[in-house]
Each structure stands twice: as structure tokens, then as C-alpha cells.
Amino acid sequence: MTISRIATALSLIGAAFILYIGISYLVTPETIATGFGLPEWPKGDAVAFMNLKGVRDTVSGLIILVLLATKQRYALGIVTLVIALVPIGDMLTVLSWGGSTAAAFGIHGLTAALVAVTGVLLIRERAVANRLERAEINA
């Protein structure tokens, strides 16, 4: 399997996963919120913050799909590395607010690592392609 196929598969899996999470926060936040890792969730009007998370995650998934569909793989790599900051922020939030350490590292930390690896693979594609192109020219 080539770097390109692995990066594409990881990007599609990541997009599907974050779209599922985002849509779930918009449609049924009470069922998905408990898995985030925080000890307590907002009540009353503060529940609107879960909708904000839903919108953020849904848009993140759509950005991945749009960049894939338009074959902007290098840009997707850069964007994916930036998107990896989101689960890092989530992890730090869970840890700062007395949430589950297991969820912080096991869910958010692992997600950040996988997203970052995907971004590196997408960026590396360009370097590998350029190296192959130079080798063909020199041959």
C-alpha cells in the first residue's frame, strides 16, 4: 500500500469519525457527551456549548472531504496538522478540569497523534513525488 493510499484512507476515516461526532453533538448531545472525559456537563442554557462543539467538528470533517475532493492533498496535510491542535486542546481541557486522565490521553491524545501522522503522510507525499520526478528527469 502506498503512502498516498494510506493517507487517503486515514483522511477518510478521520473525516467520517469527526462528522459522526459532530452530528451526534448536534442531534443527540446527551448520548455522546459523557464519552468526552469531563466530570460534569453544562445544564440549562449552557447546553448550547455542545452545539458549538457539534458545529466545529462537523465543519472540520467537511474541510477534510472538500480538500480531498478537490485533490488539494498538500493543503490537506497542512490543514490536518493544524486540526491536530483541536484534540490537543480537548485533552488539556479535560486534564485541567479534573476529567478522566484515561479519556484525555486515550481519546484526545491518541486522536491528536493519528491526525498529526495523517498530516505528515499527506505532506510527505509531495516530497516523495518530487524526488521521483527528479530521478526520472536525471535518468
Side-chain angles (χ1 to χ4, degrees):
M1 192 173 255
T2 66
I3 289 176
S4 180
R5 287 186 180 174
I6 293 169
T8 299
L10 289 172
S11 295
L12 288 170
I13 290 166
F17 178 72
I18 201 61
L19 280 168
Y20 168 76
I21 297 292
I23 292 167
S24 294
Y25 270 98
L26 292 171
V27 177
T28 57
E30 64 283 348
T31 61
I32 194 161
T34 57
F36 191 80
L38 290 173
E40 211 175 305
W41 276 96
K43 294 171 180 56
D45 290 342
V47 171
F49 282 99
M50 287 192 258
N51 282 9
L52 296 174
K53 178 172 174 27
V55 170
R56 174 192 81 175
D57 290 350
T58 302
V59 170
S60 294
L62 292 174
I63 288 170
I64 293 167
L65 293 177
V66 166
L67 289 171
L68 266 176
T70 58
K71 297 182 178 16
Q72 301 296 315
R73 298 179 68 83
Y74 186 76
L76 177 58
I78 293 168
V79 168
T80 302
L81 286 176
V82 173
I83 288 174
L85 296 173
V86 173
I88 290 171
D90 292 347
M91 178 182 72
L92 294 173
T93 300
V94 169
L95 292 171
S96 297
W97 287 90
S100 166
T101 303
F105 291 107
I107 296 170
H108 306 296
L110 182 59
T111 298
L114 289 172
V115 171
V117 165
T118 302
V120 168
L121 289 174
L122 286 159
I123 290 170
R124 187 166 154 71
E125 279 181 20
R126 184 184 225 177
V128 170
N130 287 343
R131 199 170 28 240
L132 290 172
E133 188 176 298
R134 282 194 300 272
E136 288 175 5
I137 291 172
N138 293 333

